[in-house]
Amino acid sequence: MALYAPNQKLSLAPSTTNGNARTRRTRTKHPTVVRMAASSSDVAAYEEGQLERPKWAGETPLSRLVGALISFQPIFSVLKFGARQVLISTAEKNNIPWREMAREILESDVYKEMDSIQIPSVVYPDYYLNPFHAYDEGNLSWLAAAEAEAANLSMTRRAIPYASSLDEANHIMRGNWVKAIEQHHQQYSGKIRDILDIGCSIGVSATCLSDNFPSAEVTGLDLSPYFLAVAQFKEKRRSPRDNPIGWVHANGEDTGLTSKSFDLVSFAYVFHECPERAIIGLLREAFRLLRPGGTVAVNDIAPKSKILQELPPVLFTLMKSTEPFLDEYFLTDLERKMREVGFVNVQTVLTDPRHQTVTATVPH
Ligand SMILES: C[S@@+](CC[C@H](N)C(=O)[O-])C[C@H]1O[C@@H](n2cnc3c(N)ncnc32)[C@H](O)[C@@H]1O
C-alpha cells in the first residue's frame, strides 16, 4: 500500500477538488485541511514489534501490577494529575498552545450550540460514565471539549516524531488513514456518497473526511453533546462547504439512523475507549447502516506497533491511568470480531508508527 512513510518528503502540490486530491500543506496556525498523498512511489515502513501486543497490556504480570497500582485510589489521583501535567507540558513544548486554545473555546459563544445539538433522551452506556483522559466527567464536560483539539494535535505529534512540523505530522497521520480507506473502497466497491463518522468528537475526523471526499454527505455522530457543540461551533466559522456536515447526538451502538444508508462508516480513535461489548455493538450497528459493498474503517492504536511495545514504564503507566478500557481493547481480536459480525475483506495496515487502520466490507 502506498502510504506516507518515515523520511518521505511531502510535496506542496496544490489540492484538487476531487477525491484524488494531492498533498496540501495549510499555512494556518493550526492545520485544518489534510489531504491524502497521491504519489504511488511511497513506501510504508512502519515497524511491527515481536509481540501480539505490548507486555504491559492484557493479562501479563506486568499489566496486572500496573492495573493494581492504578486501581488504588490515592495512586490513581496522583497518576491522573501527573498524566494531565505531562499532556499539557508536552503539548506546549511542541508549540501547541494547549491552555490558550482551551481558553479561546471556553470564552466563546460555544455554549449556544448546545440547544440545537443535545438530544435529552440519549441514554449514556455505563462504560461512558467512567473518568477518561484525566477528566472526572470523562467526555461529558466543557473542559474536555475545549481541550480536545490540543490533545488531538499532541497525540498526532507523538505519533509522528520524525515529522519536521505539526502540519507534516498531521498530513502523514490523517493522510495515510484516508488513503487506506480510499484504497480499500476502490478495490471492493464504487463511489463514496454517504459517510458516517461515529465518535467524531470535536469534528477533526469528520472534517478531514469531508475535505477528502468533498462530493460525499458526511455525518459526524458522537455521544458527547459538549464535543458536538464544539464541532458545530468550529464548522460554522469556516467557509461553507458544498455539502455541509451534519452532527448527530446519539449512541453509536444504536443510532436510530436508516439501515443501508451509508457507503463508509468510520471509527477513528474510538475503540480504545470502549469495552469489548461496546466494540461489538458499534460494529453491528455499522454493519446495519452500510449498503452492500460499503466499507467500515477502524483507525486506532496498533497493538503490534514496535514503538508502543517498547514504551518506557512511566509512560505506559500514565497512559493506562487515563484510558480505562485500554487493556480490553488490546485483548480484543478485532479482525475476528469483524468477521463474526459479517464483514468480509478484513485488512489491517499500520498507517503510522503507533496506529493501524482496519478496513472491511459488507458483502454484496
Ligand atoms: C478519541 S475520540 C475520537 C476522535 C476523533 N474521531 C478523531 O479522529 O479525532 C473518541 C470519541 O468516541 C466517542 N464515543 C465513545 N463511545 C461512543 C459511542 N458508543 N457512541 C458514539 N460515540 C462514542 C467519545 O465521545 C469520543 O468523542
Side-chain angles (χ1 to χ4, degrees):
M1 178 174 294
L3 297 169
Y4 287 135
N7 309 322
Q8 181 209 333
K9 287 222 166 54
L10 295 182
S11 76
L12 293 178
S15 65
T16 63
T17 50
N18 63 27
N20 294 321
R22 284 167 188 271
T23 304
R24 185 173 98 171
R25 275 199 209 181
T26 53
R27 296 284 174 203
T28 51
K29 196 167 156 203
H30 310 302
T32 49
V33 178
V34 177
R35 295 189 191 268
M36 67 192 87
S39 163
S40 58
S41 59
D42 315 341
V43 182
Y46 300 116
E47 227 180 320
E48 291 191 354
Q50 310 265 318
L51 309 169
E52 277 303 297
R53 65 184 72 84
K55 275 202 289 285
W56 45 265
E59 301 295 337
T60 62
L62 179 60
S63 175
R64 282 208 204 101
L65 175 69
V66 175
L69 279 175
I70 293 168
S71 62
F72 186 52
Q73 190 58 39
I75 293 185
F76 176 69
S77 301
V78 172
L79 282 175
K80 204 175 58 170
F81 179 77
R84 187 168 160 73
Q85 297 314 308
V86 168
L87 283 174
I88 297 174
S89 63
T90 311
E92 294 187 339
K93 264 186 229 141
N94 281 308
N95 298 323
I96 299 160
W98 180 295
R99 284 170 282 199
E100 197 184 314
M101 288 171 78
R103 198 177 321 119
E104 215 175 283
I105 294 288
L106 290 170
E107 291 176 359
S108 73
D109 283 339
V110 68
Y111 312 97
K112 292 185 183 159
E113 307 297 332
M114 196 52 132
D115 279 352
S116 62
I117 282 285
Q118 189 170 30
I119 306 289
S121 57
V122 166
V123 177
Y124 297 103
D126 56 355
Y127 79 84
Y128 197 73
L129 301 172
N130 275 280
F132 280 98
H133 307 148
Y135 302 106
D136 288 340
E137 299 89 5
N139 294 325
L140 296 171
S141 78
W142 284 116
L143 184 62
E147 294 186 339
E149 187 176 8
N152 201 305
L153 291 174
S154 201
M155 179 265 280
T156 305
R157 201 69 190 93
R158 273 197 309 277
I160 322 281
Y162 55 85
S164 61
S165 67
L166 180 58
D167 237 10
E168 188 178 309
N170 211 31
H171 276 288
I172 294 169
M173 200 180 93
R174 298 287 178 172
N176 281 342
W177 160 64
V178 170
K179 189 132 190 97
I181 292 174
E182 211 209 15
Q183 289 189 352
H184 184 103
H185 198 79
Q186 269 175 3
Q187 188 175 353
Y188 299 108
S189 308
K191 204 170 154 39
I192 295 184
R193 287 167 294 155
D194 297 284
I195 299 176
L196 177 63
D197 182 33
I198 297 185
C200 66
S201 178
I202 55 155
V204 176
S205 42
T207 52
C208 185
L209 288 167
S210 180
D211 293 338
N212 281 285
F213 301 98
S215 60
E217 300 272 349
V218 177
T219 303
L221 181 146
D222 205 280
L223 256 174
S224 171
Y226 301 90
F227 287 4
L228 288 169
V230 172
Q232 183 166 277
F233 176 77
K234 288 167 76 69
E235 192 62 10
K236 278 185 185 169
R237 269 147 196 81
R238 55 153 280 150
S239 47
R241 295 173 193 271
D242 290 343
N243 288 312
I245 300 174
W247 307 106
V248 175
H249 181 211
N251 183 350
E253 294 180 72
D254 182 16
T255 61
L257 301 173
T258 309
S259 297
K260 300 188 176 139
S261 55
F262 293 93
D263 306 296
L264 169 67
V265 173
S266 159
F267 298 97
Y269 307 101
V270 178
F271 283 11
H272 75 278
E273 292 188 10
C274 298
E276 189 178 90
R277 62 183 188 282
I279 291 177
I280 295 168
L282 291 165
L283 287 172
R284 285 198 180 126
E285 182 67 350
F287 193 84
R288 183 186 73 78
L289 291 168
L290 282 164
R291 300 183 174 115
T295 299
V296 66
V298 180
N299 181 224
D300 218 310
I301 301 170
K304 288 194 177 162
S305 151
K306 185 171 190 295
I307 286 186
L308 279 185
Q309 293 188 1
E310 292 174 356
L311 218 55
V314 174
L315 287 189
F316 65 66
T317 306
L318 286 178
M319 187 171 166
K320 284 181 81 162
S321 72
T322 65
E323 298 285 1
F325 298 107
L326 201 57
D327 265 348
E328 219 170 311
Y329 167 76
F330 277 126
L331 285 174
T332 300
D333 183 341
L334 188 55
E335 289 198 355
R336 185 168 164 195
K337 294 295 165 211
M338 288 168 117
R339 287 193 192 94
E340 284 171 5
V341 165
F343 288 104
V344 294
N345 308 328
V346 183
Q347 295 174 339
T348 301
V349 59
L350 251 65
T351 36
D352 69 59
R354 287 177 181 236
H355 303 116
Q356 63 185 23
T357 301
V358 188
T359 45
T361 316
V362 170
H364 285 279

